Amino acid sequence: MGIFDGRRIVLGVTGGIAAYKAVEVCRRLVDAGAHVSPILTKGAERFIGKATFDALASEKVQTSLWDEDNPIPHTNLGQNADLILVCPATARLLSDYRIGRSADLLTATLLATRAPVIICPAMHTEMWEQPSVQENIRELAGRGVEIVGPEKGRLAGGDDGTGRLSDPGSIVAAVEKVLNSGVGAQVQDFFGLQVLVTAGGTKEPICPVRYIGNRSSGKQGHAIALEAAARGAEVTCVTTQPDNIFHHPQIKVVAVETANEMAEAVFSESPKSDFIVMAAAVADFTPAERHKEKIKKSKEGLEIHLVPTVDILASLGATRNDEQILVGFAAETSDLEKNAKNKLESKGIDLIVANDISAANVGFDYDTNAAVLFDHMGKKTELPLADKREIAQAVLDAALKLKVDKHEESGGN
Ligand SMILES: Cc1cc2nc3c(=O)[nH]c(=O)nc-3n(C[C@H](O)[C@H](O)[C@H](O)COP(=O)(O)O)c2cc1C
């Protein structure tokens, strides 16, 4: 028995110097029980022979859309795959896949699938660091494509730097993670649902130059928006960090700066939302007065009078309809459970995501997070330190479960 028994994997190989390493990846996948269907691009054939993959994979290599034995190869391959792995992926492949240009069998197959996709880029450092390549990568990652590598190390031509294909062991581990955990598997369980997410820290202006802000990066909120979109939702993300969110066709981005602007955007979008996830760090106070001119340096101190902002979460808790699921966040430095439960009850919300931001690698600006979920039914779920996308997945799982339970309680079918 292998860990990939019965799983169908399309292995796309493109024309980079690391193409020879795809042979080892192919062998490991087959040894672990996978049915591997290899596709080689014309570029790949310049680096590695078809005969090698013919001998090692589960079926013969395919290279063309126009194969007489298989009239529509891309849809057969794409629809039957449990996963598509592109290893190595050239800069050309990233670009064509991003823009949806099906110029060859591999890109056509990538477009003709709903299976999760793993891309393992490999190229020289200069190519990898090109803004165009980086944009393509960010965009693809934002659509739920799992990107593995590249790593730093020796490159062709005696060079050293970032761009080296990840080692076969890491690539096979990523395949296992995606196939077994469903991360990036794009289960469409939010299809037809509207999700409103807020993200980032608000900025409260003191004068045209200065503001009162906080350290929220927006990463957790953006991860939730992306995860919801990848699972089929129509998402509106109200964010103070619009430049840092991946473009996704199902995410409408609403850029705001202040707590008041955020409140306005949220109140206008919330009536049509099935889920409202308030991940933003909204200022509790704002300067009573905004100076029109820059405040000049002076020897005397400066007093700024602050007034409370609108409590968006509490207003939503009081006005939302019974079918909506309202999710709040609590970033705490002490008494996590007590503070989170207080907020849950006092603001009338369904689910609270509490994190202890004093812990290592948790909260603001990290790519990882750890949290405890408390729901209005009294359930507590601990989420250990994980990538923010995985935390997003768990938050949406819990929110969806609450929605289903509510619907059943109200006698829906
Ligand atoms: C010797 C050599 C090595 C190359 N290595 C890479 C590489 O590692 N990564 C890459 O993106 N392109 C590399 N290229 C460029 C690609 O082969 C070229 O863009 C080709 O059109 C890619 O075709 P494909 O994506 O259809 O396989 C290399 C080209 C040559 C001649």
Side-chain angles (χ1 to χ4, degrees), residues 3 56 76 161 225 227 284 326 360 372 392 402 407:
I3 51 170
L56 285 174
N76 286 338
E227 179 66 21
D284 293 327
L326 183 56
V372 190
L402 287 173
H407 191 62

Side-chain angles (χ1 to χ4, degrees), residues 115-405:
V117 173
I118 301 179
I119 299 267
C120 310
M123 61 201 71
H124 256 77
T125 313
E126 294 83 348
M127 287 177 89
W128 173 247
E129 289 179 351
Q130 277 300 321
S132 53
V133 172
Q134 287 300 306
E135 254 180 42
N136 291 339
I137 282 287
R138 277 201 297 275
E139 177 68 31
L140 291 170
R143 293 177 197 167
V145 173
E146 187 86 358
I147 310 290
V148 178
E151 288 172 9
K152 208 163 180 293
R154 267 186 55 215
L155 302 169
D159 292 335
D160 218 287
T162 303
R164 187 178 161 87
L165 184 73
S166 284
D167 68 275
S170 308
I171 294 170
V172 173
V175 170
E176 188 187 356
K177 185 182 104 177
V178 170
L179 282 178
N180 294 342
S181 76
V183 171
Q186 299 173 3
V187 183
Q188 299 293 292
D189 51 357
F190 275 74
F191 183 78
L193 295 169
Q194 303 275 344
V195 177
L196 170 61
V197 186
T198 64
T202 57
K203 292 177 179 170
E204 306 303 316
I206 299 169
C207 70
V209 179
R210 301 180 182 88
Y211 61 83
I212 298 173
N214 63 65
R215 295 177 54 216
S216 170
S217 64
K219 285 182 182 174
Q220 186 62 75
H222 292 174
I224 290 173
L226 282 171
E227 179 66 21
R231 287 161 69 161
E234 288 295 330
V235 180
T236 300
C237 185
V238 180
T239 176
T240 61
Q241 303 281 337
D243 296 337
N244 296 339
I245 186 164
F246 295 119
H247 299 284
H248 188 292
Q250 273 153 247
I251 302 181
K252 177 175 117 182
V253 177
V254 180
V256 294
E257 251 186 41
T258 65
N260 269 346
E261 287 169 10
M262 185 163 276
E264 228 174 80
V266 167
F267 296 146
S268 117
E269 295 284 339
S270 59
K272 62 170 196 242
S273 305
D274 299 292
F275 295 84
I276 305 168
V277 183
M278 291 290 298
V282 184
D284 293 327
F285 301 98
T286 190
E289 178 194 5
R290 179 182 177 172
H291 291 256
K292 287 208 169 52
E293 306 289 336
K294 182 184 171 191
I295 302 171
K296 296 282 180 225
K297 195 172 182 155
S298 87
K299 290 242 157 42
E300 279 122 60
L302 173 67
E303 276 186 18
I304 298 170
H305 181 59
L306 300 177
V307 292
T309 55
V310 184
D311 188 335
I312 306 177
L313 204 48
S315 305
L316 290 170
T319 56
R320 54 76 181 267
N321 71 48
D322 288 345
E323 288 279 315
Q324 286 178 316
I325 296 293
L326 183 56
V327 182
F329 273 66
E332 303 291 346
T333 48
S334 62
D335 287 333
L336 185 75
E337 180 154 355
K338 194 171 126 228
N339 289 334
K341 282 183 171 168
N342 271 348
K343 195 166 177 181
L344 183 83
E345 278 155 32
S346 66
K347 306 211 175 188
I349 53 189
D350 299 296
L351 178 70
I352 193 141
V353 184
N355 47 18
D356 173 1
I357 48 168
S358 62
N361 300 327
V362 171
F364 301 135
D365 218 24
Y366 289 107
D367 290 326
T368 50
N369 207 355
V372 190
L373 307 184
F374 300 97
D375 73 22
H376 68 102
M377 307 294 286
K379 190 171 169 207
K380 174 179 173 182
T381 313
E382 308 244 5
L383 306 178
L385 192 69
D387 190 272
K388 283 187 170 166
R389 186 69 184 259
E390 284 176 49
I391 299 286
Q393 196 179 24
V395 170
L396 290 180
D397 286 347
L400 189 59
K401 167 115 188 26
L402 287 173
K403 173 122 183 105
V404 171
D405 291 350

Side-chain angles (χ1 to χ4, degrees), residues 14-17 41-44 47 89-93 104 122-124 127:
T14 64
I17 203 83
T41 61
K42 289 274 171 283
F47 290 87
T90 53
R92 193 283 306 170
L93 182 282
D104 59 12
M123 61 201 71
H124 256 77
M127 287 177 89

Side-chain angles (χ1 to χ4, degrees), residues 54-125:
D54 281 344
L56 285 174
S58 316
E59 56 185 62
K60 283 189 77 166
V61 170
Q62 298 193 51
T63 56
S64 168
L65 276 162
W66 315 106
D67 180 349
E68 279 177 13
D69 294 340
N70 191 352
I72 29 178
H74 57 303
T75 53
N76 286 338
L77 286 161
Q79 289 169 353
N80 292 326
D82 292 309
L83 178 131
I84 300 186
L85 169 68
V86 184
C87 165
T90 53
R92 193 283 306 170
L93 182 282
L94 300 175
S95 170
D96 277 1
Y97 183 29
R98 177 193 172 172
I99 61 172
R101 181 171 178 266
S102 62
D104 59 12
L105 178 58
L106 179 55
T107 40
T109 305
L110 284 165
L111 299 187
T113 195
R114 292 210 167 97
V117 173
I118 301 179
I119 299 267
C120 310
M123 61 201 71
H124 256 77
T125 313

